[in-house]
Amino acid sequence: MSTAVTPVRPPASGRPRPARPRPSLVLAGLLGAVAVAAVLSVMVGARPVPPADVWHALTGPTGTENDIVVSSLRVPRTALGLLAGVALGVAGALMQGHTRNPLADPGLLGVTQGAAFAMVAAIMVFGVTSLYGYIWFGLAGALVASVGVFALGMAGGGRGGPTPVTLALAGTAVSAFLYALTSAMVLMDEQAMDVFRFWQAGSIAGRGADVAWQVLPFVAAGLVLALVNAPGLNTLALGEDVARALGQNVALTRTVGVAAITLLSGAAVAACGALAFLGLMVPHLARPLSGPDHRLLLPYSGLLGAAALLGADVVGRVVARPGELEVGVVLALLGAPFFVALVRRRKPLRL
Amino acid sequence: MTSPPIPSPHPEGVPPVSPVPVRLAHERPLRLGPASWLLRLRSAAAALVLLAAAVLLMALNMRLGDIPMSVAEVFRAVTGDGPDHFVVMELRLPRALTGVLVGAALALAGAITQAIARNPLASPDVLGVTTGSSVAVVGVIVTAGSAAGGAGGALASVGVPLVALAGGLAGALAVYLLAWRGGLDGYRLVLVGVGVSAVFTNVKYWLLTVGDVTDSGRAMVWISGSLNGRGWEHVVPVAIALAVLVPAALAGTRSLGVLRFGDDTVTGLGVRTNLARGLLILAAVLLAAVATAAAGPIAFVALASPQIALRVAGVAQPPLVVSALCGAVLVTAADLAARTVAAPAELPVGVVTAVLGAPYLIYLLIRARRGARA
């Protein structure tokens, strides 16, 4: 009887909707990947530490050599990698959502070049020499640069906040401007050049626990803002006019989004160098799993970012023994072919 | 003769004049027999002003050097053969011309790329050209660095441009092959290009950390883009490339104009999308590769010039000629600044293009709001 009553739902557009895995499964899988990457990151290195010793060092350290390696080198490095990976992944997804531009990376707001400029200026002008010292400058530079870009985008965008195109162009212009000033300074000062080129290559090695603690509050604040921003971003994806007609405060949504991007990517970039393209690629990898819903896309991107950054770091420690390859170059060499294959495989989702 | 109140068929086949001419105030049709163009007065005026500015900046540039001259002396040296004739003709003119031509070529490549990608952030970097050149040259400079006798002499003057050209073309080929899949989708091309460029850029950063700091500094100068010591051997290839490719690109403008619509529309309009897009991309790649080989990947010119040009000319899509002239003016002005700001030391021109171009682009962005444009 019920079979006669139940209406057959007509196919919406002739084609079945692409099947997407259940969110709980994806989240579990991604969390597992991050956990595996983190464990490997603590174990693998110039001096391999067996799992039993890792456990020993984490639960009841007694000052053995492996305990010291784990607690003073590996754990801070892994923690920083986790923070930076999550931050860049989420920031990248936010950035592409807000600009609706698949080329947008979190560095587009000027954070990377802002950080670079401030750090090089700190080295040259104020004679700052400690890593801990110039990361503060890098953070400040990243924040100032992106606030400046947002203000310019605002000025160019008219009411309703900056439009994606003006924001992206203003960001590119400011980045190019700051990069030029940085290059000029670096070309005049060999010592600054030496620091700059290693920062630019992108690395999470040798940073110590201080840096992870330094970055943590910024990343935490950024993540909260990002999650708050997700539903608004979904509405905004329908177009600004539709969003406004639905009663959304477009300018507020944009401001919250930009604040989140700034905090997340500024902190990550200042501490780890020019890794912003991680934020460019990760959302493209996450989007097939999540679809267009930013409430799923943001967490997926964050977890994928962390797994990718830690995984690439582990690979960089293994391939160039006894030395190490910077995580920036490993990420590009491993991530880009994957990214290209993904782009080729299917018709890319348009933003 | 008064027109009849009711329109009658015209036996001569002359169509009736529409009572309300559908024509914008600043656009005039230019008819020459059967052919006609739309002459945009604002674009034409902008092109003339930019051309004059480029010539003036070139002259100002050629005053500078070990023997300072006035603009009048420069002109006299170019036309006559005074004692300065050699200096001006063999040293200063080629450098200034390299700047103009390289700027025009990069800007043109950028305009084509942005039109095809339908994305204002696209530039030849996305086609893999400039990043491919950079990574190849940095590799050569760092590995053949001071330790191995230095990248000087023949290697510097012939080898580096050739390496740059090869690297640029190889990069573009890689992007093209990876993006080709039964056709060339502009969107897929750009995404693949971003991936490939990310590899090149990060390998470049890594290479900069490998060598010693002096070599890294020299590599930094090249990847910033510099006009220092450029001679006729740098002018000629770029001039030939422009002479061949500018007419080709202009012939393709028609296709370029419609390629900004979706693929289905374009095919419906009777344009062979893959062919048109492929040829235009080839033109952009060659222009960018030759320009980069001559002066390094001068930053920001390819990205900013088309955006500045479309705002100056007041059109919807990067206009090719105005973009090229914008690029020429930007690079020449930057070279002038690069040589005077820190004189007697000289900055690489690519450092200054962004310092000059970025504020202007920002000013245009802000002003556009008052112009009530979307």
Side-chain angles (χ1 to χ4, degrees):
Chain A
M1 189 178 122
S2 64
T3 50
V5 178
T6 311
V8 179
R9 195 198 293 170
S13 61
R15 265 187 310 174
R17 275 173 21 153
R20 293 209 174 88
R22 291 237 306 277
S24 52
L25 284 179
V26 178
L27 275 178
L30 289 175
L31 278 172
V34 172
V36 169
V39 169
L40 283 176
S41 169
V42 176
M43 281 169 48
V44 177
R47 181 197 169 93
V49 181
D53 286 18
V54 172
W55 185 250
H56 178 254
L58 292 179
T59 50
T62 49
T64 65
E65 213 168 317
N66 275 343
D67 284 355
I68 293 168
V69 168
V70 167
S71 63
S72 68
L73 297 175
R74 299 280 168 77
V75 169
R77 182 173 183 165
T78 306
L80 185 61
L82 272 175
L83 285 173
V86 169
L88 287 171
V90 172
L94 279 176
M95 193 73 207
Q96 292 177 3
H98 273 286
T99 56
R100 291 173 82 184
N101 192 322
L103 302 191
D105 68 51
L108 196 66
L109 278 178
V111 282
T112 308
Q113 300 313 334
F117 176 75
M119 287 167 79
V120 171
I123 295 165
M124 267 188 79
V125 181
F126 304 110
V128 177
T129 48
S130 78
L131 181 73
Y132 192 72
Y134 33 80
I135 285 180
W136 278 126
F137 276 93
L139 254 172
L143 298 187
V144 170
S146 61
V147 169
V149 166
F150 190 65
L152 288 171
M154 204 73 158
R159 82 194 165 83
T163 65
V165 171
T166 52
L167 198 61
L169 278 176
T172 318
V174 169
S175 289
F177 184 75
L178 290 172
Y179 180 73
L181 294 182
T182 311
S183 319
M185 288 197 291
V186 159
L187 287 172
M188 286 189 281
D189 185 331
E190 214 162 70
Q191 195 211 337
M193 167 92 196
D194 214 18
V195 175
F196 174 69
R197 61 184 184 144
F198 283 101
W199 175 82
Q200 191 180 39
S203 172
I204 55 172
R207 299 293 202 264
D210 291 350
V211 172
W213 283 115
Q214 207 176 349
V215 164
L216 180 65
F218 295 91
V219 174
L223 285 178
V224 170
L225 287 180
L227 293 180
V228 169
N229 200 224
L233 198 50
N234 281 344
T235 320
L236 215 53
L238 301 171
E240 291 207 351
D241 294 338
V242 177
R244 208 170 284 127
L246 287 172
Q248 195 183 31
N249 185 341
V250 173
L252 181 68
T253 310
R254 286 243 187 277
T255 310
V256 171
V258 169
I261 295 166
T262 301
L263 289 170
L264 290 170
S265 55
V269 160
C272 309
L275 294 176
F277 78 96
L278 177 67
L280 174 82
M281 296 195 177
V282 160
H284 289 284
L285 304 183
R287 214 167 272 125
L289 297 174
S290 70
D293 187 350
H294 284 88
R295 288 171 303 178
L296 293 178
L297 179 62
L298 294 181
Y300 288 5
S301 297
L303 292 174
L304 260 179
L309 186 57
L310 286 177
D313 191 44
V314 170
V315 171
R317 290 183 230 170
V318 176
V319 290
R321 282 171 183 278
E324 288 190 1
L325 218 49
E326 274 88 357
V327 67
V329 68
V330 180
L331 260 179
L333 287 175
L334 292 182
F338 194 51
F339 174 77
V340 168
L342 192 91
V343 170
R344 275 179 60 81
R345 200 163 53 103
R346 65 180 74 220
K347 207 171 167 61
L349 286 170
R350 283 168 197 271
L351 294 176
Chain B
M1 190 174 73
T2 56
S3 55
I6 298 162
S8 61
H10 289 252
E12 305 89 356
V14 181
V17 177
S18 159
V20 184
V22 184
R23 185 198 292 162
L24 298 173
H26 56 280
E27 293 179 348
R28 301 264 182 284
L30 186 69
R31 292 218 167 79
L32 230 173
S36 75
W37 294 270
L38 200 57
L39 181 66
R40 293 194 170 87
L41 288 182
R42 186 163 157 193
S43 298
L48 283 178
V49 170
L50 286 167
L51 191 62
V55 172
L56 180 67
L57 284 167
M58 255 179 82
L60 287 176
N61 228 330
M62 285 161 63
R63 290 176 310 143
L64 302 176
D66 288 338
I67 319 163
M69 296 181 202
S70 69
V71 173
E73 280 172 320
V74 168
F75 274 112
R76 224 175 298 139
V78 171
T79 50
D81 50 358
D84 300 328
H85 185 70
F86 172 81
V87 173
V88 169
M89 291 306 288
E90 292 304 314
L91 302 177
R92 299 192 183 177
L93 185 62
R95 178 190 174 133
L97 273 179
T98 308
V100 166
L101 297 178
V102 161
L106 284 174
L108 206 52
I112 296 173
T113 316
Q114 292 183 356
I116 285 176
R118 290 182 274 162
N119 194 318
L121 297 184
S123 69
D125 299 346
V126 165
L127 298 179
V129 185
T130 46
T131 45
S133 295
S134 299
V135 77
V137 170
V138 172
V140 165
I141 292 181
V142 170
T143 50
S146 324
L155 180 60
S157 64
V158 182
V160 165
L162 280 184
V163 166
L165 190 64
L169 293 179
L173 189 67
V175 170
Y176 188 84
L177 290 179
L178 287 172
W180 179 272
R181 200 179 157 222
L184 204 60
D185 181 65
Y187 191 80
R188 187 169 57 228
L189 179 79
V190 166
L191 284 180
V192 168
V194 166
V196 173
S197 300
V199 176
F200 287 155
T201 307
N202 281 275
V203 170
K204 177 182 83 185
Y205 290 160
W206 172 70
L207 281 171
L208 282 174
T209 67
V210 171
D212 77 44
V213 72
T214 322
D215 291 328
S216 297
R218 286 219 319 274
M220 275 286 283
V221 171
W222 193 89
I223 58 179
S224 301
S226 167
L227 291 172
N228 198 2
R230 297 305 192 265
W232 286 110
E233 73 273 20
H234 296 97
V235 175
V236 174
V238 190
I240 294 173
L242 278 170
V244 174
L245 294 171
V246 168
L250 287 178
T253 326
R254 233 187 143 71
S255 323
L256 205 59
V258 290
L259 276 179
R260 73 182 132 132
F261 302 116
D263 271 12
D264 298 341
T265 317
V266 179
T267 312
L269 286 170
V271 174
R272 288 200 275 170
T273 35
N274 279 332
L275 183 71
R277 202 176 276 140
L279 288 177
L280 283 165
I281 289 173
L282 183 66
V285 163
L286 289 175
L287 283 167
V290 172
T292 308
I298 301 178
F300 204 59
V301 177
L303 189 130
S305 304
Q307 292 300 314
I308 291 175
L310 73 86
R311 284 173 175 79
V312 167
V315 291
Q317 212 186 6
L320 295 184
V321 174
V322 183
S323 297
L325 289 168
C326 267
V329 169
L330 182 55
V331 171
T332 316
D335 195 31
L336 187 63
R339 301 172 79 183
T340 42
V341 168
E346 191 176 297
L347 289 170
V349 65
V351 165
V352 188
T353 44
V355 174
L356 286 182
Y360 189 60
L361 182 59
I362 290 169
Y363 160 76
L364 287 174
L365 284 174
I366 292 172
R367 209 195 50 174
R369 179 190 177 186
R370 289 178 209 132
R373 235 162 357 107

